[in-house]
Amino acid sequence: MASSSSNRNKEENLYESWMKNQREEVKELQNAVVCARKNEQSDGELNELLRKMVNNFQAYVNGRSRLARVDVSPFFAPTWCTPLENSVLWIGGCRPSSFIRLIYALCGIEIESRLAEYLQGINIGDFGQLSGNQIIMIDKLQRQIIGEERKFSSRLASLQEDVVDQPIAMAAKICDTKRDDNETEPLEKHGGDMANLLEEADELRMKTLKEILGILTPIQGVEYLAAAKRIRLCLQQWGKKREQEHNSNNNYN
């Protein structure tokens, strides 16, 4: 697939806009939690806020899909993310199963060592009150999503192996010679297959989020999204801090 600086700029701008939106949404979600605890916001209002957040996520996913059809490779190793962020990527984003692991962490079933640092300033009290039925539904969803992830990971491995198969290797040999459309067709097909995989992985992420919010109560859903977005922002901040420290150390050497 053809790559251009113009498209890369669009991809980076989409990401930066999305991260800016995350910072704004965290504040909105945290304010909603405070109001709900004071009985100043109804379940209906909380559900409307959750729908807004889901729709924003869907718009971001749709934007990624359009750009990936032009050039998908940057989404698998985005230059606009820090190395730390890229180290936890799974097919261009977070593992859907990590969405569920966060629930377990929040409700105290599985406490991660640095969770308090991740969630500084966020009240997550309602997660200690998950019902038995909620936990059963979450466990069932987790097993289902992990199974789907394994299928996707297997497809990704096959696509990566295809890069060194004969059709792709032949296309690579002629990189220094005049090419025609037939010679680059294997690479175009590979890019299209990778774009399909990214799109389907994003659909799984979206599906998982919707399933989770369908299981949680409105206030739990708002608390959950606030925590998830806070973690994502912290990961970006930590990545930038590590880069700064690494650059400083290199300057001293």
Side-chain angles (χ1 to χ4, degrees):
M1 277 190 180
S3 175
S4 69
S5 59
S6 175
N7 202 62
R8 296 292 174 88
N9 288 337
K10 290 179 181 178
E11 293 160 349
E12 184 169 358
N13 289 340
L14 177 66
Y15 170 77
E16 292 298 336
S17 176
W18 172 245
M19 293 306 292
K20 178 182 178 181
N21 195 41
Q22 298 310 288
R23 290 186 283 272
E24 295 171 352
E25 288 186 347
V26 165
K27 295 177 183 177
E28 190 172 0
L29 289 163
Q30 291 178 171
N31 288 336
V33 170
V34 172
C35 291
R37 293 190 182 285
K38 294 180 180 178
N39 296 319
E40 296 174 356
Q41 203 155 12
S42 66
D43 282 355
E45 291 172 314
L46 294 178
N47 280 328
E48 185 61 32
L49 177 59
L50 292 174
R51 281 191 289 272
K52 172 186 172 183
M53 301 297 169
V54 170
N55 289 339
N56 288 346
F57 187 24
Q58 184 66 65
Y60 174 63
V61 165
N62 292 344
R64 277 163 53 97
S65 180
R66 286 192 296 271
L67 292 172
R69 290 298 167 184
V70 179
D71 185 12
V72 68
S73 56
F75 289 102
F76 285 82
T79 56
W80 50 86
C81 289
T82 64
L84 176 61
E85 291 172 279
N86 284 342
S87 71
V88 297
L89 283 184
W90 176 83
I91 311 184
C94 298
R95 282 185 174 272
S97 60
S98 69
F99 297 179
I100 301 170
R101 287 175 60 85
L102 176 58
I103 298 176
Y104 290 144
L106 293 175
C107 71
I109 294 175
E110 181 183 323
I111 298 296
E112 300 292 346
S113 61
R114 301 187 71 179
L115 186 61
E117 184 176 351
Y118 276 126
L119 305 176
Q120 184 177 1
I122 294 179
N123 189 330
I124 56 173
D126 275 9
F127 272 87
Q129 301 172 18
L130 284 178
S131 69
N133 189 49
Q134 283 179 310
I135 292 174
I136 290 173
M137 294 171 69
I138 290 168
D139 179 66
K140 180 180 179 181
L141 178 62
Q142 182 182 39
R143 285 184 276 110
Q144 175 189 341
I145 296 304
I146 288 176
E148 291 294 322
E149 285 181 350
R150 288 172 178 165
K151 294 177 184 177
F152 277 76
S153 294
S154 178
R155 285 176 58 191
L156 176 61
S158 295
L159 287 172
Q160 290 173 331
E161 291 167 0
D162 285 345
V163 176
V164 294
D165 281 351
Q166 187 67 16
I168 306 298
M170 288 177 65
K173 287 180 181 178
I174 50 99
C175 65
D176 293 328
T177 65
K178 185 177 180 180
R179 297 175 294 180
D180 58 35
D181 291 340
N182 292 331
E183 290 168 334
T184 59
E185 184 178 350
L187 294 175
E188 294 290 338
K189 182 181 182 304
H190 176 75
D193 290 340
M194 293 291 282
N196 288 337
L197 184 61
L198 175 67
E199 186 173 308
E200 291 177 40
D202 277 346
E203 288 175 358
L204 182 61
R205 283 184 271 265
M206 179 62 66
K207 173 188 173 183
T208 304
L209 177 60
K210 289 180 178 178
E211 292 277 356
I212 288 172
L213 295 180
I215 294 171
L216 301 177
T217 65
I219 183 64
Q220 288 172 342
V222 171
E223 290 176 341
Y224 170 82
L225 280 187
K229 291 177 185 294
R230 176 65 178 168
I231 288 175
R232 182 63 189 87
L233 292 170
C234 284
L235 187 64
Q236 182 188 56
Q237 293 170 3
W238 288 347
K240 289 180 177 179
K241 182 179 179 181
R242 282 192 178 184
E243 279 194 297
Q244 292 172 352
E245 292 173 348
H246 178 73
N247 291 336
S248 296
N249 291 335
N250 285 342
N251 291 335
Y252 284 122
N253 294 331

